[in-house]
Amino acid sequence: MSESRGPEGATERLPVLEKTTGSGDYGQSSSAADHRPPPPAGRAGRFWSARRVPAALTALVLIVGAGFLLYDVVSVRAGRPAMRWRRELADQLAHRPLDDTWALVGAGLVAVLGLWLLVLALTPGLRRVLPMRRTHTDVRAGLHRDLAALVLRDRAMKVPGVQSVRVRMRRAKADVRAVSHFRDLDDVRAELDATLAETVRGLGLSRRPALSVRVRRPGRKG
C-alpha cells in the first residue's frame, strides 16, 4: 500500500496489487529466492582418510626414540657413561662396511617404511566411499560401495526373469552377474542394462561407474 496527499491535505491510501509469477491470482507476493535456478551439480573429489592408526604409531615410535636419546644425552652431560645400546650402535656404524648384508637389509627396511609413509601421506584413502555430486559448496556427501551394490542388486532382482544377482562395486566399474531361470537371456540383459543405468544415474555419484552385466542360466543340480 502507498499513501498520497489529497487536495485538502487528507491522506488516502492507494491500492497496490502484487502478482505471483506464473499464476493469475492477485494479492499474493513472491520472493526472488523462490525462483532462483538450482545450483549446477559439480564433481567432488575423494574423501581423505585421517590415517589415525599410522599417525599414532609413527608418533609413538618417534616419541619413544627421542625420549631414549634425550635421556642418554642428559646422562652423558651429567658425567655418566652413555647407554650400552648407543655405544654398540656407534661401534657398528664405525666398523661395519656399507655393503654388509645387515646394513643393506636395515637400509631397505627403512626405505620401505619411508615409502609407505609417503604413500599414506599422498593418497586420499577411504576407497570404499564413493563421492557424490556437490549441489552446495559447503556440503559433501559420500556413498559406501556396499550400499551402492545393495541398491543395484535390489533393482536388478525386480527385473522379471532374474533369479539371483551378485554385484561387485568398484570405484570406476560395477560388475553385475545375474542368473535368469526364464525369459530370453538377451531380453533380460537388455532390461537389466536399462534398469541399472537408470539406477546408477539416480545414485548421484560424482563419477558414474561403468556397468558390466552378464546373464546366464542356472547350473544343473547334481
Side-chain angles (χ1 to χ4, degrees), residues 159-175:
V159 174
V162 174
Q163 182 180 13
S164 63
V165 180
R166 182 171 58 89
V167 180
R168 185 179 180 184
M169 194 72 179
R170 302 176 183 176
R171 285 202 310 118
K173 188 176 181 181
D175 293 323

Side-chain angles (χ1 to χ4, degrees), residues 15-216:
V16 178
L17 298 179
E18 296 179 356
K19 178 183 178 181
T20 304
T21 304
S23 64
D25 299 333
Y26 290 92
Q28 298 179 352
S29 61
S30 62
S31 173
D34 298 337
H35 304 283
R36 288 181 300 181
R43 296 192 61 180
R46 290 175 54 188
F47 290 87
W48 282 76
S49 174
R51 314 285 193 187
R52 293 184 177 90
V53 175
L57 293 178
T58 304
L60 181 62
V61 171
L62 292 178
I63 290 175
V64 172
F68 272 106
L69 184 61
L70 181 60
Y71 176 80
D72 191 43
V73 170
V74 172
S75 298
V76 172
R77 293 292 183 179
R80 299 178 180 179
M83 297 181 70
R84 182 178 178 180
W85 66 270
R86 193 158 74 95
R87 295 197 305 268
E88 291 182 357
L89 179 61
D91 183 70
Q92 292 291 334
L93 293 177
H95 296 89
R96 190 177 293 273
L98 296 178
D99 58 350
D100 183 77
T101 302
W102 288 108
L104 295 177
V105 170
L109 291 177
V110 173
V112 170
L113 179 61
L115 181 62
W116 177 62
L117 293 177
L118 286 177
V119 170
L120 291 180
L122 298 178
T123 55
L126 294 180
R127 298 179 59 87
R128 302 192 66 83
V129 178
L130 303 175
M132 304 180 69
R133 290 194 303 270
R134 301 186 67 172
T135 57
H136 300 279
T137 57
D138 55 347
V139 177
R140 294 192 64 191
L143 183 63
H144 200 276
R145 286 190 193 179
D146 294 341
L147 296 179
L150 182 60
V151 173
L152 293 179
R153 179 184 177 277
D154 290 343
R155 291 296 300 272
M157 288 296 297
K158 295 180 180 180
V159 174
V162 174
Q163 182 180 13
S164 63
V165 180
R166 182 171 58 89
V167 180
R168 185 179 180 184
M169 194 72 179
R170 302 176 183 176
R171 285 202 310 118
K173 188 176 181 181
D175 293 323
V176 181
R177 302 293 179 264
V179 176
S180 176
H181 56 295
F182 71 92
R183 293 184 66 191
D184 185 72
L185 294 182
D186 292 336
D187 295 339
V188 175
R189 185 181 298 108
E191 189 168 350
L192 279 174
D193 287 335
T195 301
L196 295 180
E198 181 182 359
T199 304
V200 169
R201 287 193 298 268
L203 293 177
L205 299 178
S206 174
R207 179 181 179 182
R208 294 178 185 174
L211 280 174
S212 175
V213 180
R214 294 182 183 179
V215 184
R216 64 178 179 86

